[in-house]
Amino acid sequence: MKNLIDIKDLTEQEIEDLIKVAKNIMKNPENYSDKCNHKKLATLFFEPSTRTRLSFEAAMYELGGHVIGFSDSNSSSTSKGESVSDTIRTVGCYSDIIAMRHPKEGAPFVASRKSTVPIINAGDGGHNHPTQTLTDLLTISCEKKRLNNLTIGLCGDLKFGRTVHSLITAMLRYDNIKFILISPEELKTPEYIKDNIKKSNKEFIETNDIEEYIGDLDILYMTRVQKERFFNEEDYLRLKDYYILDEEKLEKAKKDLCIMHPLPRVNEISTKVDDDPRACYFKQVLYGKYVRMALILKMLDID
Ligand code: NCD
């Protein structure tokens, strides 16, 4: 596979294989510790990140490889006016694989057309985030032991939340998946995503009421309101605390609910929930590192 821009670039079988390799790495990390000797990953982050960038970097180090890159476009030649394509062509001379995050939708795709090395989209604007989705799929597979027969609630900013868009796209492939899309009116799921759900003949409900549906869910995927994608501070302030998941709301939830969040959390999950055995969001972070290790191996064609 040359690039990972959209989760659909991976077949169902490839995703299954990645999950299998990630689980093997979790069991026997020592078998993988020198697989990427002498290989270099470049992380080009034109937009802030804690987990995704460090997760890629930790993944590469644990495979015995090296990492170069930047975490702030102001410290790169972008600030001098260099185009993304030129930056990518340059970095391709120094690295074997590139993970890039960019505030503009489609930037990693444009970059991939000029790149001499594989490109991984580490998040493009409010569009896609395929490696978060691989993280989410590994989390679901480990915590629920299945990727089918699930009622999945997605809650918060479903309009700008790229992790939500990629996760829905991925889950459309599995049998008997039902989506409960929980958001305020202003942050509803984009029409093109809902059209895709309809085309796949999957069921979905749109609501702004988390309490009405929380008892039906196998997975509750909370998200923060994406401040940086708002044009207007007033709207952000009005919507940012629309949902706060707390122990009281969770009383109605199933005992084996899996609570996920791509993080960072702002206020949307009370810290008191962190000790609830159903809270999976910090485990999810760890799964992210393992699945990125599996992905780097696949993209570099290393067994
Ligand atoms: C997400 C992102 O960057 O889209 N974070 C992440 O990668 N784990 C979610 C977010 O920023 O809200």
Side-chain angles (χ1 to χ4, degrees), residues 135-303:
T135 302
D136 300 340
L137 294 175
L138 177 62
T139 306
I140 296 170
S141 170
C142 290
E143 298 297 320
K144 303 299 298 180
K145 314 285 179 233
R146 64 186 193 273
L147 289 170
N148 52 13
N149 302 325
L150 293 165
T151 299
I152 306 176
L154 298 119
C155 177
D157 187 345
L158 308 189
K159 179 177 180 186
F160 296 115
R162 55 193 172 197
T163 64
V164 166
H165 305 158
S166 290
L167 180 58
I168 292 177
T169 305
M171 294 310 298
L172 290 178
R173 286 175 168 162
Y174 301 100
D175 289 337
N176 196 19
I177 299 294
K178 181 174 173 184
F179 300 102
I180 312 290
L181 306 173
I182 309 159
S183 74
E185 185 61 31
E186 295 90 332
L187 298 177
K188 278 165 83 172
T189 314
E191 287 303 322
Y192 78 94
I193 300 274
K194 284 186 281 187
D195 285 345
N196 290 341
I197 303 179
K198 285 180 207 154
K199 274 188 220 142
S200 308
N201 291 321
K202 296 271 182 298
E203 222 184 300
F204 74 92
I205 292 172
E206 272 189 305
T207 177
N208 62 5
D209 186 353
I210 186 169
E211 283 167 73
E212 188 180 346
Y213 292 97
I214 198 164
D216 300 339
L217 306 178
D218 300 303
I219 290 168
L220 173 55
Y221 194 92
M222 295 297 295
T223 61
R224 82 184 161 95
V225 175
Q226 303 276 302
K227 181 179 181 188
E228 65 277 34
R229 318 237 181 263
F230 273 74
F231 294 111
N232 160 345
E233 172 93 6
E234 222 173 89
D235 286 346
Y236 171 69
L237 293 175
R238 184 166 49 81
L239 295 168
K240 75 181 176 58
D241 291 330
Y242 203 96
Y243 299 106
I244 299 180
L245 183 68
D246 55 20
E247 284 295 286
E248 195 189 320
K249 289 198 183 82
L250 281 169
E251 271 169 28
K252 294 191 205 124
K254 289 185 184 170
K255 292 280 163 276
D256 63 348
L257 171 71
C258 172
I259 306 167
M260 298 171 63
H261 192 310
L263 303 179
R265 156 175 60 186
V266 185
N267 265 336
E268 54 283 346
I269 303 181
S270 154
T271 51
K272 295 211 178 86
V273 174
D274 298 358
D275 297 326
D276 188 306
R278 293 170 288 187
C280 292
Y281 31 94
F282 289 111
K283 279 197 248 177
Q284 200 178 342
V285 176
L286 193 58
Y287 289 131
K289 182 185 70 178
Y290 293 117
V291 88
R292 288 185 174 99
M293 289 171 79
L295 180 68
I296 291 170
L297 290 174
K298 176 178 174 58
M299 293 188 73
L300 290 177
D301 239 337
I302 297 171
D303 288 331

